[in-house]
């Protein structure tokens, strides 16, 4: 255990699984109190239990980040108890499809979670960060925000918005001691990827897994603890000079795929 985040309260959406869970454990190991916000209460409680086994502290809130009223209520009840020093907008959902086979419902669903969810969280938390004149916001964008990925119309739309919301928030609150950055992972091996392969390519899962691994020039998918390490750095005071930045973490996907 180190004390880099001693006394800090870090709210992580989607901390019940994948990158969010790994980030929760990483920050908890470094002294943060983790506020787990997830739709899936069982997954959230499993993360809570692991954190408590580490001897660290966490609390759990079941919440659909797409629901503005629910988010306002949950954030208000958290702020009644303690500040939110770090907000990590991690929860997100995937969708496969091009412009023609993405329905209006698909588009709305992806928008509501990936874009409005991040808006809802930032909108509810920003006032308290302004009041305390400090805070860190870290958003999960994707390589899909910066380059054209096949069959990811709605998902790319949503992650492009996460990237530009990051720039906007960083700009508007720079004089309030609030930093806002995002990371853009390539493919990371999480339940997100496994579920998506299972759902969309049930008959050739292994083949698709290998193809997705090799699409990173480095030859594999990223690991959740590699994401957590970058997120932890960006949320720490070591990164005090970094705001309004997007960090690709993609095994060379964006710049070396030629
Ligand atoms: P995951 O599916 O493993 O976990 C997502 C978590 O978010 C789950 O616990 C889920 O219950 C929760 N969640 C989903 N919808 C929610 C909602 N409406 N309200 C509250 N919680 C909700 O995902 P992951 O792979 O760890 O991805 C995390 C983030 O990283 C996502 O934003 C994703 O778009 C982004 N990302 C992932 C990859 C990848 O390859 N895994 C690549 C680039 C970006």
């Amino acid at each position: 255990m180190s004390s880099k985040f001693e006394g800090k309260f870090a709210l992580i959406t989607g901390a019940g699984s994948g990158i969010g869970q790994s980030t929760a454990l990483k920050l908890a190991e470094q002294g943060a109190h983790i506020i787990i916000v997830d739709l899936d209460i069982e997954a959230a409680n499993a993360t809570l239990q692991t954190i408590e086994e580490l001897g660290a502290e966490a609390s759990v809130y079941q919440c659909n980040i797409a629901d503005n009223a629910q988010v306002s209520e949950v954030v208000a009840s958290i702020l009644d108890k303690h500040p939110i020093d770090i907000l990590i907008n991690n929860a997100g959902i995937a969708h496969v499809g091009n412009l023609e086979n993405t329905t209006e419902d698909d588009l709305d669903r992806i928008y509501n979670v990936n874009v409005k969810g991040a808006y809802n969280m930032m909108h509810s938390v920003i006032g308290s960060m302004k009041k305390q004149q400090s805070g860190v916001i870290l958003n999960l964008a994707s390589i899909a925000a910066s380059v054209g990925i096949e069959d990811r119309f709605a998902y790319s739309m949503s992650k492009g918005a996460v990237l530009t919301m990051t720039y906007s928030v960083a700009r508007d609150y720079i004089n309030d001691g609030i930093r806002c950055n995002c990371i853009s992972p390539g493919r990371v091996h999480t339940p997100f990827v496994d579920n998506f392969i299972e759902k969309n390519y049930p008959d050739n899962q292994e083949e698709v897994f290998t193809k997705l691994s090799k699409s990173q020039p480095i030859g594999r998918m990223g690991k959740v603890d590699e994401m957590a390490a970058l997120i932890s750095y960006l949320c720490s005071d070591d990164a005090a000079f970094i705001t309004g930045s997007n960090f690709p973490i993609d095994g060379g996907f964006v710049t070396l795929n030629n």
Side-chain angles (χ1 to χ4, degrees):
M1 298 272 271
S2 89
S3 55
K4 199 177 231 177
F5 292 105
E6 201 63 59
K8 300 282 186 201
F9 291 87
L11 188 163
I12 308 177
T13 65
S17 172
I19 298 168
Q21 182 183 57
S22 183
T23 302
L25 301 183
K26 180 93 184 161
L27 267 59
E29 276 169 4
Q30 298 173 96
H33 175 115
I34 308 299
I35 308 155
I36 301 162
V37 171
D38 205 301
L39 191 58
D40 181 341
I41 191 67
E42 275 178 34
N45 280 329
T47 301
L48 172 75
Q49 195 183 333
T50 314
I51 290 174
E52 286 177 347
E53 279 163 15
L54 288 172
E57 283 182 2
S59 40
V60 164
Y61 295 84
Q62 184 176 28
C63 176
N64 178 2
I65 60 161
D67 183 330
N68 184 280
Q70 224 181 85
V71 169
S72 300
E73 203 177 299
V74 164
V75 168
S77 77
I78 295 167
L79 289 171
D80 270 352
K81 299 185 192 93
H82 52 68
I84 297 170
D85 302 294
I86 297 166
L87 166 64
I88 301 175
N89 282 311
N90 164 80
I93 55 172
H95 179 258
V96 176
N98 63 19
L99 169 63
E100 287 164 279
N101 53 37
T102 298
T103 65
E104 189 182 356
D105 281 351
D106 293 332
L107 193 76
D108 287 348
R109 189 165 38 82
I110 297 298
Y111 170 82
N112 283 334
V113 178
N114 293 4
V115 183
K116 212 173 96 181
Y119 157 80
N120 286 339
M121 292 304 312
M122 293 193 287
H123 191 253
S124 296
V125 167
I126 199 74
S128 74
M129 286 186 169
K130 263 179 87 172
K131 215 181 262 172
Q132 68 200 26
Q133 287 287 290
S134 69
V136 181
I137 300 174
L138 191 285
N139 296 324
L140 266 287
S142 160
I143 49 172
S146 307
V147 291
I149 312 268
E150 196 180 356
D151 266 339
R152 298 292 185 282
F153 176 75
Y155 185 71
S156 300
M157 168 280 296
S158 72
K159 292 303 182 178
V162 169
L163 173 68
T164 50
M165 284 194 292
T166 299
Y167 293 151
S168 172
V169 169
R171 172 71 261 173
D172 286 342
Y173 300 97
I174 196 163
N175 294 323
D176 292 299
I178 299 166
R179 298 189 294 109
C180 182
N181 295 295
C182 63
I183 70 164
S184 282
R187 275 164 197 115
V188 183
H189 190 202
T190 66
F192 182 92
V193 171
D194 291 336
N195 295 340
F196 140 90
I197 295 178
E198 199 182 320
K199 182 173 160 221
N200 295 288
Y201 307 95
D203 302 329
N204 52 343
Q205 294 186 36
E206 230 177 279
E207 190 189 318
V208 172
F209 187 88
T210 306
K211 188 179 157 209
L212 292 183
S213 300
K214 291 198 172 144
S215 67
Q216 275 72 228
I218 215 162
R220 64 170 174 87
M221 294 192 197
K223 298 174 187 163
V224 287
D225 55 345
E226 292 168 334
M227 306 302 123
L230 178 57
I231 294 170
S232 160
Y233 166 69
L234 288 171
C235 291
S236 77
D237 288 343
D238 291 340
F241 197 52
I242 301 177
T243 192
S245 289
N246 170 39
F247 289 80
I249 173 161
D250 63 5
F253 189 97
V254 167
T255 49
L256 308 181
N257 250 336
N258 51 36

